[in-house]
């Protein structure tokens, strides 16, 4: 697939996934414009030849040179390149875009807000977790009952500089004897936080299973972001082929509600 074809597929998927979050986005050249001054930019993932990696940047104030852009990358599986890209954008929308929509909306519909004593001066906006693989209910249940971000606070604090926003992505899973734990802070791997994540007692089974989470850390702003109001989107049932969504309510307890709604 040529770069321009990949871009068209990714942008189309972004429009579709943002609509699931109650947001009206439309393609405008190299970006996908949203309500108010928000937009999503796409950049080519280096070395991705026929893979399902996407690099997406959520722009908070389009047109401002000093505007923060929250970049994140995601990967998707599928039989075709288009299917891989679509699943990657869906993964990004579930875990990351939901946080950015909540940041601009502020009603607690798409993600949860928390102020952790372990991270003084920082406000956390945490979206649903995407848990996928074999036997994912055990890992989902563990995430529902544990406060992961505060457990990593000591390792994260030295890397939190400036005013933010700071994007923190967590990826954990694998299987017993072959697990993976990675924490990225603004796209860069944090070795200390990754080691702290690996040391937690999340379940390792005999078959492969992973979880992906995204948290945005912000500091107090003098005024709210100038964006248009959005309507709450109706929940979309999760199909078997789509990663199970685990929405954080306090200790990730919303995952049970999502499971009941999908039955």
């Amino acid at each position: 697939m040529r770069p321009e074809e990949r871009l068209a597929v990714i942008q189309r998927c972004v429009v579709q996934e943002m609509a699931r979050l109650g947001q009206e986005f439309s393609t405008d050249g190299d970006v996908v414009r949203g309500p108010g001054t928000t937009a999503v930019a796409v950049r080519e993932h280096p070395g991705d030849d026929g893979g399902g990696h996407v690099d997406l940047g959520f722009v908070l104030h389009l047109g401002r040179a000093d505007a923060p852009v929250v970049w994140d990358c995601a990967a998707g599986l599928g039989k075709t390149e288009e299917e891989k890209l679509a699943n990657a954008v869906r993964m990004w929308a579930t875990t990351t875009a939901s946080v950015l929509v909540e940041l601009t909306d502020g009603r607690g519909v798409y993600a949860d807000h928390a102020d952790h004593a372990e991270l003084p001066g920082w406000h956390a906006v945490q979206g649903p977790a995407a848990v996928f693989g074999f036997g994912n209910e055990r890992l989902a249940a563990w995430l529902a009952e544990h406060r992961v971000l505060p457990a990593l606070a000591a390792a994260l604090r030295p890397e939190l500089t400036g005013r933010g926003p700071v994007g923190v992505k967590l990826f954990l899973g694998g299987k017993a004897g072959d697990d993976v734990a990675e924490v990225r802070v603004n796209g860069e791997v944090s070795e200390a936080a990754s080691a702290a994540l690996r040391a937690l007692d999340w379940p390792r089974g005999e078959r492969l299973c992973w979880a992906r989470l995204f948290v945005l850390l912000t500091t107090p702003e003098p005024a709210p972001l100038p964006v248009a109001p959005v309507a709450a989107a109706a929940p979309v049932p999760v199909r078997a082929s789509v990663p199970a969504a685990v929405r954080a309510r306090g200790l990730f307890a919303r995952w049970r509600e999502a499971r009941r709604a999908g039955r």
Side-chain angles (χ1 to χ4, degrees), residues 146-179:
H146 291 77
R147 301 169 72 240
V148 179
L149 188 65
L152 307 180
L156 285 173
R157 282 196 299 267
E159 304 197 34
L160 302 180
T161 59
R163 293 185 55 85
V166 177
V168 180
K169 181 172 67 176
L170 293 78
F171 186 82
L172 63 151
K175 63 180 180 179
D178 187 22
D179 60 11

Side-chain angles (χ1 to χ4, degrees), residues 26-37:
S26 59
T27 302
D28 184 6
D30 292 335
V31 301
V32 185
R33 289 180 177 266
T37 59

Side-chain angles (χ1 to χ4, degrees), residues 48 50-54 73-92 132 243:
D48 190 39
H53 285 84
V54 297
C73 64
L77 301 176
K79 296 180 179 179
T80 65
E81 185 173 0
E82 184 169 347
E83 185 177 351
K84 293 175 184 178
L85 293 173
N87 286 331
V89 174
R90 183 174 297 115
M91 183 74 70
W92 169 83
F132 52 101

Side-chain angles (χ1 to χ4, degrees), residues 90-232:
R90 183 174 297 115
M91 183 74 70
W92 169 83
T94 299
T95 58
T96 304
S98 59
V99 171
L100 276 304
V101 171
E102 178 59 35
L103 181 67
T104 61
D105 188 36
R107 294 183 293 134
V109 174
Y110 302 104
D112 291 320
H113 297 259
D115 294 308
H116 299 295
E118 297 87 347
L119 291 171
W122 292 92
H123 177 73
V125 186
Q126 182 169 304
V131 186
F132 52 101
F134 297 100
N136 57 36
E137 290 188 359
R138 288 184 61 212
L139 184 54
W142 187 90
L143 290 170
E145 302 300 334
H146 291 77
R147 301 169 72 240
V148 179
L149 188 65
L152 307 180
L156 285 173
R157 282 196 299 267
E159 304 197 34
L160 302 180
T161 59
R163 293 185 55 85
V166 177
V168 180
K169 181 172 67 176
L170 293 78
F171 186 82
L172 63 151
K175 63 180 180 179
D178 187 22
D179 60 11
V180 59
E182 182 182 86
V183 178
R184 288 181 176 265
V185 179
N186 280 344
E188 298 296 328
V189 174
S190 168
E191 298 295 347
S194 297
L197 178 60
R198 178 173 280 106
L200 298 181
D201 63 347
W202 39 273
R204 279 82 159 171
E206 295 181 358
R207 307 183 74 181
L208 294 171
C209 178
W210 297 272
R212 185 185 196 272
L213 306 82
F214 187 86
V215 184
L216 194 71
L217 297 175
T218 64
T219 51
E221 295 289 342
L225 295 169
V227 298
V230 298

Side-chain angles (χ1 to χ4, degrees), residues 7 12-13 24 40 56 117 137 152 190 201 207-208 251 261:
L7 176 62
R12 182 173 68 250
C13 292
E24 185 176 348
V40 175
L56 299 172
E137 290 188 359
L152 307 180
S190 168
D201 63 347
R207 307 183 74 181
L208 294 171
L251 304 182

Side-chain angles (χ1 to χ4, degrees), residues 52-73:
H53 285 84
V54 297
D55 282 343
L56 299 172
F58 198 101
V59 185
L60 296 172
H61 298 281
L62 187 65
R64 265 180 44 184
D66 61 342
V69 180
V70 180
W71 285 97
D72 191 18
C73 64

